[in-house]
Amino acid sequence: MSPEVERILAEAADLPGLMKKAAAIRDAAFGERVTFSKKVFIALTHLCRDTCGYCTFVHPPRRGEAAYLTPDQVLEIARAGQTAGCAEALFTLGDKPELKWKPAAQALEAMGHTTTLDYLAAMAERVFKETGLLPHLNPGLMTAADLARLRRVSVSMGIMLETTAARLGERGGPHYGAPDKEPAARLATIGAAGKAKVPFTSGILIGIGETRAERIEALLALRDLHRAHGHLQEVIIQNFRAKPDTRMAKAPEPSFEELLWTVAVARLIFGDMLSVQAPPNLQEPGYGRLIEAGIDDWGGVSPVTPDHVNPERPWPALEALAVESAKYGKVLTERLAVYPRYVHDKAWIDPALRPRVLALSGAGGLRRDNDWRPGLVMALPKDDVATLAQPAVRPSASLAPILDRATRGEDLGEDDIERLFAARGPDFAAVTQAADAVRRETVGDAVSYAVVRNINYTNICYFRCGFCAFSKGKLAANLRGSPYDLTVQEIVRRAAEAWDRGATEVCMQGGIHPDYTGQHYLDVCHAVRERIPGMHVHAFSPLEVWHGATTLGRSIPDFLAALRDAGLGSLPGTAAEVLDDEVRDVLCPDKVSTDQWLEIMRAAHKVGLRSTATIMFGHVDRPIHWARHLLRLRNLQKETGGFTELVPLPFVAAEAPIALKGQARLGPTFREAVLMHAIGRLALHPHVRNIQTSWVKMGIEGAKICLQAGANDLGGTLMNESITRAAGAEHGEELPPEAMERLIADLGRTARVRTTLYGDADTDRIAAAHAAAPLAPVTLEVATRWTGPATEGDKRRVLPKPRQAATAR
């Protein structure tokens, strides 16, 4: 920014015009949300070596008052925050009091510490370990060594720049007697935090004697540091409040209009680079106008502790803050102490802290809405259910045109789909209502399901996908269950039993057994077709197809044609996970790549084999990846028309290795899971007619919600579903026809028993399904060959992985 532009901006007097431009920039970057962090405020010490003219937080040592909170007091405050549902522990303190006050040095020595920052590190670590709260530290000036030590025990830190006007530190100025407020020193700390990769907060304090030009200078200095290091999470614009018993007790306070002007200018300077925050408790009624000026964050708000820096200004109740935000078209949304862009990049968070951050976060990097998790028997989130129950919700201005285009069947872009996934509050309801209207227009009100038996013929697998708790072998003996390998005879027996119970389909998938060749897959198809000619064989993921073709030295199209001729009727669209190699490189790095999966499906469709399409989401992925996945499916469907349905599969984390290691989120939130069904309907319309919801993943009540949010199919009755159960799901292994139809009737809809390819099931099949005897108990003979330690010989028997093979070719 040139000096002339700075001058023009400093002299800008059109406040409404500035605010309008700032709000437009904010809306484009952050949409309809305004964030806050639910925190507990831990004032570790009120001693400081600085004396600022406006500060009431700091005071000299007092007789009978401890220099520092004790560890027990710190934990008592933290536990109160934990009980109140806080996620952040904000530690605030004076700057290096031990250098000025003997009682501080003595207290530290008595506790076994040399400096205040040593004690801070110990307390932050203890709070994190004993409560799970995420520490955010405001320690004052820090060296590189200080930052490195404190980074290991906190997810973020901060220091207010306040001003770059060094003259304010001269005699008579607000910073006289405060050596740590010297602008160059504070800028050095902020810069060092960037080099140390610490997510950082800073800001300016307005109304302490600085000019508008000096405010702009300070904001530009922060912008330069952020451009150099990318570490500033937010910039706070804080207005001076005069306090009794301070040197500035009678100093004039800045007007609210002056605060609005500064917020708007800050937004214009920073654009969409980071968040702009202003504290709501320092304002009078009507503080929501700060949203009109361009803020997107209210800062930390505590339901437990006061604002120790401004104790005379209580926090607004969260309910009141939500109402005030809604007046200005924003949905109040909780974030963590570390902002989304740093949640997604593990370089910014210490490995010891990252698992907790992931456990607390949703796909967008904000705090999870609630504790609901896929696959577990839990009550649905009340707030989400209430939001979805609203009738005929009008979407926000930015969402409405996207929904209009989607409902007309126009292709949505990546940005459009990502915006849909950001829907919260009324927009969440609007997306689901639009999707359900498209569902009704496309396929009517009937809810379909198929009578199916799942046969997972082996759990022995030489792949090690991070999400899979099903596969077993010599390198995975510690996971749930024992290795097994069904014979062809047992597979046929189960298929015949399923036919007798009214099934129209057997769905067969398993691990990639090192001893299997493509001939085994062909033999299974032949055997089932010979024994039960009317049974539809829905089998073999693209990974199994690759394995079979590779072991026989045949091309993918040739092997698929052979499977078709042997009796294969269609393919499950599994092994897709998320069709973006940025995700796959973490989740399943040796599995088929995105392009390989799509090519195998393209080949299947071309030889006349239709397939489902799936997305397994809620782990290391983000909405941008979901958008890319849906677009890749849409493009292939437009080319081949081979997908029968989309099946969203929420990640079940309970037993998943990658989640147990703390390297993934705990599955999607309920809002995200419902949105995937709704947005799948909208993004794939009119090319994919059917959206299936998984009762195993969503539960009965969750499936009902999805059937009112764009889904029209309940999947299969399953009979012996085991892969999701291995991952820790609790919703059962079979949902018989009467239970399916009871669920559908509860919605006032009509049940339709379908075939795999969405025709109507024959009446004799329906009758047999409703009259089915209980399943015979199954026994799994342990494959003892695979229970011992791996040997070099075993490893040599394993084929190269798909991506390795592709590279070799």
Side-chain angles (χ1 to χ4, degrees):
M1 185 176 289
S2 70
E4 179 62 15
V5 173
E6 289 182 45
R7 183 189 64 77
I8 293 172
L9 191 57
E11 296 175 356
D14 179 12
L15 181 57
L18 282 176
M19 291 171 63
K20 185 175 181 180
K21 291 178 182 177
I25 294 170
R26 185 271 325 283
D27 287 345
F30 299 98
E32 272 60 50
R33 75 175 191 231
V34 61
T35 52
F36 77 101
S37 175
K38 194 173 184 180
K39 71 180 181 184
V40 59
F41 205 136
I42 302 175
L44 194 63
T45 179
H46 289 270
L47 302 183
C48 182
R49 70 169 176 171
D50 298 319
T51 303
C52 297
Y54 45 77
C55 181
T56 57
F57 175 77
V58 167
H59 59 71
R62 295 172 179 170
R63 185 180 298 275
E65 183 176 304
Y68 296 88
L69 292 177
T70 67
D72 286 345
Q73 288 172 325
V74 168
L75 283 173
E76 182 181 3
I77 296 168
R79 288 188 177 118
Q82 179 188 24
T83 300
C86 297
E88 174 184 349
L90 169 61
F91 284 84
T92 189
L93 55 149
D95 208 320
K96 301 175 181 60
E98 69 276 10
L99 298 182
K100 180 176 182 179
W101 303 109
K102 188 174 182 179
Q106 291 172 333
L108 289 169
E109 183 179 5
M111 293 187 293
H113 298 283
T114 304
T115 68
T116 298
L117 295 188
D118 290 338
Y119 185 48
L120 172 64
M123 289 301 94
E125 182 176 25
R126 188 167 179 183
V127 163
F128 175 74
K129 287 183 176 179
E130 298 198 24
T131 68
L133 296 177
L134 301 178
H136 170 87
L137 312 182
N138 289 335
L141 295 184
M142 291 172 282
T143 65
D146 294 330
L147 285 157
R149 180 170 76 258
L150 293 174
R151 186 185 187 278
R152 294 194 292 269
V153 296
S154 65
V155 297
S156 56
M157 300 184 221
I159 183 173
M160 289 289 282
L161 173 58
E162 296 195 8
T163 182
T164 50
R167 64 181 181 80
L168 298 181
E170 298 172 357
R171 184 179 293 276
H175 290 158
Y176 181 72
D180 297 295
K181 293 298 177 75
E182 205 280 317
R186 296 179 91 74
L187 288 169
T189 288
I190 298 168
K195 292 177 183 176
K197 285 199 159 309
V198 174
F200 213 72
T201 293
S202 192
I204 63 173
L205 180 61
I206 73 167
I208 57 173
E210 82 294 343
T211 65
R212 282 185 169 184
E214 287 169 335
R215 290 179 209 162
I216 291 172
E217 178 185 294
L219 292 171
L220 290 174
L222 290 173
R223 189 186 68 177
D224 290 345
L225 287 172
H226 181 68
R227 282 179 170 173
H229 305 295
H231 66 306
L232 290 184
Q233 305 197 107
E234 64 195 344
V235 165
I236 302 171
I237 310 300
Q238 183 169 329
N239 51 309
F240 160 71
R241 284 290 189 176
K243 297 177 174 63
D245 302 320
T246 65
R247 296 201 310 265
M248 298 180 67
K250 296 183 179 180
E253 297 179 344
S255 67
F256 188 53
E257 285 68 27
E258 194 69 13
L259 176 62
L260 293 173
W261 181 92
T262 310
V263 166
V265 167
R267 176 57 73 194
L268 294 176
I269 288 174
F270 288 101
D272 60 359
M273 287 191 289
L274 44 72
S275 289
V276 176
Q277 177 193 125
N281 61 313
L282 299 189
Q283 322 310 327
E284 303 303 334
Y287 60 84
R289 287 193 65 204
L290 288 164
I291 292 174
E292 292 183 320
I295 70 159
D296 64 286
D297 188 80
W298 291 119
V301 178
S302 180
V304 180
T305 48
D307 179 351
H308 290 288
V309 177
N310 300 281
E312 78 285 1
R313 311 292 301 191
W315 306 111
L318 291 177
E319 294 78 7
L321 191 61
V323 169
E324 186 71 12
S325 300
K327 288 180 185 177
Y328 295 87
K330 300 300 174 187
V331 177
L332 186 65
T333 305
E334 188 175 356
R335 60 166 172 83
L336 300 173
V338 58
Y339 273 65
R341 57 187 171 275
Y342 305 104
V343 170
H344 298 319
D345 186 346
K346 64 182 180 181
W348 290 91
I349 303 173
D350 188 86
L353 305 171
R354 186 167 173 76
R356 179 61 177 163
V357 172
L358 292 176
L360 287 171
S361 65
L366 298 168
R367 189 177 183 184
R368 291 183 73 89
D369 305 305
N370 44 66
D371 293 331
W372 181 87
R373 289 172 58 184
L376 303 186
V377 177
M378 304 177 73
L380 300 187
K382 293 181 181 178
D383 289 347
D384 285 341
V385 172
T387 295
L388 294 174
Q390 300 176 81
V393 173
R394 292 183 61 185
S396 62
S398 66
L399 191 69
I402 300 174
L403 293 180
D404 286 344
R405 294 202 309 276
T407 55
R408 290 196 301 268
E410 296 179 16
D411 286 351
L412 300 182
E414 191 175 283
D415 290 345
D416 295 328
I417 297 173
E418 202 176 1
R419 170 65 186 89
L420 292 175
F421 278 115
R424 292 175 179 269
D427 274 357
F428 175 28
V431 171
T432 62
Q433 289 172 9
D436 212 42
V438 172
R439 183 269 308 162
R440 191 176 301 109
E441 176 186 326
T442 303
V443 293
D445 281 330
V447 176
S448 54
Y449 72 93
V451 181
V452 174
R453 184 166 199 171
N454 278 25
I455 303 176
N456 303 121
Y457 38 76
T458 185
N459 62 356
I460 296 168
C461 186
Y462 76 90
F463 285 77
R464 292 293 170 260
C465 299
F467 60 86
C468 183
F470 173 74
S471 68
K472 305 293 179 288
K474 295 186 176 183
L475 302 179
N478 60 315
L479 300 181
R480 178 185 291 189
S482 300
Y484 72 86
D485 181 16
L486 301 184
T487 64
V488 174
Q489 291 77 14
E490 174 60 12
I491 293 171
V492 171
R493 185 200 69 77
R494 293 190 188 191
E497 183 182 32
W499 180 262
D500 292 342
R501 299 181 84 243
T504 58
E505 171 194 320
V506 283
C507 177
M508 300 190 294
Q509 299 178 89
I512 308 300
H513 196 304
D515 288 349
Y516 283 5
T517 70
Q519 190 59 49
H520 180 79
Y521 301 129
L522 292 167
D523 291 345
V524 168
C525 290
H526 275 300
V528 172
R529 182 173 65 176
E530 184 176 349
R531 174 68 174 81
I532 318 117
M535 184 71 85
H536 184 100
V537 177
H538 181 69
F540 313 135
S541 72
L543 182 59
E544 290 169 288
V545 171
W546 174 88
H547 178 76
T550 302
T551 56
L552 295 181
R554 301 174 76 165
S555 70
I556 295 292
D558 183 45
F559 182 58
L560 284 164
L563 287 171
R564 178 200 62 204
D565 295 343
L568 181 65
S570 59
L571 271 68
T574 48
E577 323 327 341
V578 174
L579 293 174
D580 191 286
D581 285 342
E582 184 179 350
V583 174
R584 302 178 77 80
D585 287 347
V586 177
L587 195 67
C588 48
D590 51 2
K591 215 168 187 177
V592 288
S593 68
T594 295
D595 287 344
Q596 287 172 321
W597 190 95
L598 291 168
E599 189 53 43
I600 291 168
M601 282 304 190
R602 179 178 287 107
H605 297 168
K606 286 184 176 180
V607 302
L609 292 170
R610 300 193 71 188
S611 71
T612 62
T614 67
I615 179 169
M616 195 272 288
F617 62 103
H619 31 78
V620 299
D621 46 353
R622 304 196 303 277
I624 184 64
H625 302 122
W626 302 344
R628 293 169 183 167
H629 180 106
L630 292 173
L631 291 178
R632 286 167 176 146
L633 292 180
R634 185 189 71 193
N635 291 340
L636 183 56
Q637 181 71 348
K638 289 169 73 172
E639 177 187 340
T640 68
F643 291 125
T644 55
E645 74 231 68
L646 172 71
V647 189
L649 300 172
F651 171 55
V652 177
E655 297 290 339
I658 196 169
L660 295 175
K661 294 175 184 175
Q663 297 171 356
R665 300 191 309 280
L666 301 180
T669 66
F670 184 73
R671 179 184 62 86
E672 291 165 352
V674 174
L675 280 173
M676 184 61 77
H677 292 77
I679 296 169
R681 169 66 68 186
L682 296 170
L684 299 177
H685 177 61
H687 311 292
V688 176
R689 290 175 54 83
N690 301 297
I691 306 295
Q692 182 185 123
T693 186
S694 169
W695 58 267
V696 177
K697 308 286 198 303
M698 296 298 301
I700 299 301
E701 296 305 315
K704 288 180 181 178
I705 294 288
C706 293
L707 288 169
Q708 299 171 82
N712 66 297
D713 187 77
L714 259 177
T717 55
L718 298 188
M719 303 185 208
N720 297 138
E721 193 288 325
S722 59
I723 292 178
T724 305
R725 294 284 289 179
E730 301 172 342
H731 289 298
E733 299 178 70
E734 181 180 15
L735 196 66
E738 54 270 22
M740 285 275 194
E741 294 177 6
R742 186 163 54 246
L743 182 162
I744 295 165
D746 286 345
L747 299 175
R749 307 260 284 276
T750 302
R752 181 174 78 89
V753 186
R754 63 165 175 86
T755 64
T756 305
L757 301 182
Y758 281 83
D760 290 328
D762 292 341
T763 55
D764 67 316
R765 296 285 81 214
I766 297 173
H770 281 82
L775 278 171
V778 297
T779 58
L780 298 174
E781 183 176 344
V782 174
T784 55
R785 176 183 172 191
W786 295 95
T787 58
T791 68
E792 288 302 315
D794 294 327
K795 293 175 184 177
R796 283 196 296 270
R797 285 197 296 272
V798 173
L799 287 168
K801 303 299 176 67
R803 297 203 210 184
Q804 296 169 341
T807 302
R809 287 196 295 273

